[in-house]
């Protein structure tokens, strides 16, 4: 089993009013961002999954995205990236930063 | 035989006690139901009250819909049992797929807490059975995500089948077609953003919420076969509003 870090973008479906995006867009001219258009505000959800390979990690995350992370009535979910996960920061040995406090330490 | 209305508490629900009190004023016995128990017991109707189940994290209702009690609520609804979702409860019912559409952020991106006028648009639901269509009720709203949205086909269906139950007289949140409440095809599952329990005592400024809750109790009583569930909403045209003109 490998561990994969998967980034999911949840966004409002085309045609669904996006008051947040519209509000951000209205603020742009005052800041001089005249070249920026069609602002849509969504969500990014980053998860780490255990799976035998990348395809399996993608398919598991797609299922999660459809059932929980998005509401298909108004939102689309897309897997933006899927890559082997780095070391779990909670399990990193402290040695990397020099002085090593007692194992399991932390504030 | 008295009617028992189960009121579900999720972690973060905050209108459960008010709703139980109001249901009792409407002539029923209120029974608390816990989200973690996969049963609705022997109740005659279920209310999912307002609040912020699971902190509204991810989306309102997104996590609550997977609570153990929701399977039992879905079974109860499928057997014809009256189920009403108020505010956050409405959001839970749409997330659970028991009602169509979804509730989006208010058009003005503001939490709106105010008494509003609602027009009864259909008497085909357990919450409006016996209530005169066109009657205006004053009931408070309090929400940030109450902007009802659905695709055009669903909207056409809701209209054609008399499933738009309540409409705002003045649209406070951008809801499509001024929709404040809808029901399923059978009329036994209803969701509404306004809070009838907050209009259940003259001290609260209106008792119009009791019109809806009495109709619910009446519907539940008729289904339970008792036939004495109380009057369904009272005689048409008689205002129960206690607000001063």
């Amino acid at each position: 089993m490998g561990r994969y870090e998967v980034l999911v973008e949840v966004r409002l479906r085309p045609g669904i009013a996006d008051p947040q995006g519209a509000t951000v867009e209205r603020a742009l001219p005052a800041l001089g961002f005249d070249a920026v258009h069609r602002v849509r505000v969504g969500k990014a959800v980053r998860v780490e999954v255990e799976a035998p390979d990348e395809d399996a990690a993608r398919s598991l995350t797609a299922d999660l995205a459809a059932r929980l992370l998005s509401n298909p009535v108004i939102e689309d979910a897309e897997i933006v990236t899927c890559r082997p996960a780095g070391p779990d920061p909670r399990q990193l040995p402290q040695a990397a930063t020099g002085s090593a406090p007692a194992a399991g330490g932390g504030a | 035989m008295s009617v028992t209305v189960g009121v579900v508490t999720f972690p973060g629900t905050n209108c459960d006690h008010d709703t139980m009190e109001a249901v009792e004023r409407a002539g029923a016995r209120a029974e608390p139901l816990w989200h973690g128990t996969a049963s609705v017991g022997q109740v005659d109707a279920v209310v999912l009250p307002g609040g912020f189940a699971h902190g509204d994290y991810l989306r309102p209702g997104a996590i609550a819909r997977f609570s153990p009690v929701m399977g039992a609520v879905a079974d109860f609804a499928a057997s014809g049992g009256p189920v009403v979702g108020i505010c956050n409860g409405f959001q839970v019912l749409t997330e659970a797929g028991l009602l169509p559409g979804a509730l989006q952020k208010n058009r003005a991106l503001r939490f709106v807490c105010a008494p509003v006028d609602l027009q009864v648009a259909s008497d085909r639901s357990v919450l409006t059975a016996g209530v005169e269509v066109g009657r205006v009720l004053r009931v408070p709203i309090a929400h940030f995500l109450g902007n009802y949205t659905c695709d055009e086909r669903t909207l056409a269906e809701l209209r054609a089948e008399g499933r738009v139950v309540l409409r705002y007289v003045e649209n406070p949140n951008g809801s499509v077609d001024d929709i404040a409440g809808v029901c399923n095809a059978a009329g036994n599952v209803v969701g509404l953003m306004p809070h009838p329990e907050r209009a259940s005592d003259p001290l609260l400024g209106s008792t119009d919420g009791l019109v809806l809750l009495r109709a619910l109790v009446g519907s539940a009583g008729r289904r339970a076969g008792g036939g004495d569930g109380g009057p369904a909403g009272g005689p048409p045209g008689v205002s129960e509003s206690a607000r001063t003109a």
Side-chain angles (χ1 to χ4, degrees), chain A residues 1-6 46-50 81-93:
Chain A
M1 290 296 261
R3 287 185 303 113
Y4 294 86
E5 184 187 293
V6 192
R46 194 183 294 273
V47 296
E48 198 173 294
V49 301
E50 285 173 43
T81 60
C82 177
R83 59 186 180 212
D88 185 340
R90 290 167 303 185
Q91 289 170 5
L92 269 186

Side-chain angles (χ1 to χ4, degrees), chain B residues 19-241:
Chain B
T19 302
M20 282 193 281
E21 170 86 25
V23 155
E24 286 180 350
R25 285 176 185 222
R29 199 178 73 80
E31 183 172 314
L33 297 174
W34 180 241
H35 78 107
T37 304
S39 162
V40 296
Q42 298 300 310
V43 301
D44 303 305
V46 173
V47 176
L48 307 184
F52 301 84
H54 296 276
D56 274 0
Y57 294 149
L58 199 57
R59 296 179 308 282
I63 297 171
R65 67 161 289 205
F66 293 110
S67 286
V69 76
M70 287 307 295
V73 170
D75 290 345
F76 182 71
S79 74
V83 175
V84 173
I86 299 170
C87 198
N88 195 221
F90 186 10
Q91 295 162 337
V92 174
L93 290 175
T94 59
E95 284 284 340
L98 293 175
L99 287 174
L103 292 138
Q104 252 271 59
K105 292 180 180 68
N106 293 346
R107 185 172 44 196
L109 284 182
R110 246 192 296 233
F111 191 99
V112 182
C113 183
V116 296
D117 285 333
L118 304 172
Q119 192 159 45
V120 176
S122 169
D123 58 3
R124 277 206 51 232
S125 83
V126 290
L127 194 64
T128 51
V131 184
E132 189 189 8
V133 171
R135 182 168 176 186
V136 174
L137 304 171
R138 194 156 177 88
V139 180
I141 55 168
H143 59 246
F144 182 55
L145 287 102
N147 179 350
Y148 184 79
T149 184
C150 62
D151 60 43
E152 284 181 15
R153 194 178 49 82
T154 305
L155 180 60
E157 219 173 84
L158 290 175
R159 280 169 156 169
E161 296 172 7
R163 293 167 55 193
V164 176
V165 175
L166 296 163
R167 281 199 177 87
Y168 300 110
V169 174
E170 278 182 58
N171 194 328
N173 54 23
S175 286
V176 63
D177 200 23
D178 303 328
I179 288 175
V182 298
C183 67
N184 66 346
N188 67 310
V189 179
V190 187
L192 74 166
M193 288 312 296
H195 287 267
E197 79 280 8
R198 296 190 188 181
S200 59
D201 188 290
L203 272 177
L204 297 172
S206 167
T207 54
D208 285 356
L210 288 177
V211 174
L212 300 172
L213 295 175
R214 284 191 190 120
L216 171 66
V217 172
S219 302
R222 282 190 297 278
R223 177 172 179 272
D228 63 345
V238 177
S239 174
E240 304 203 19
S241 174

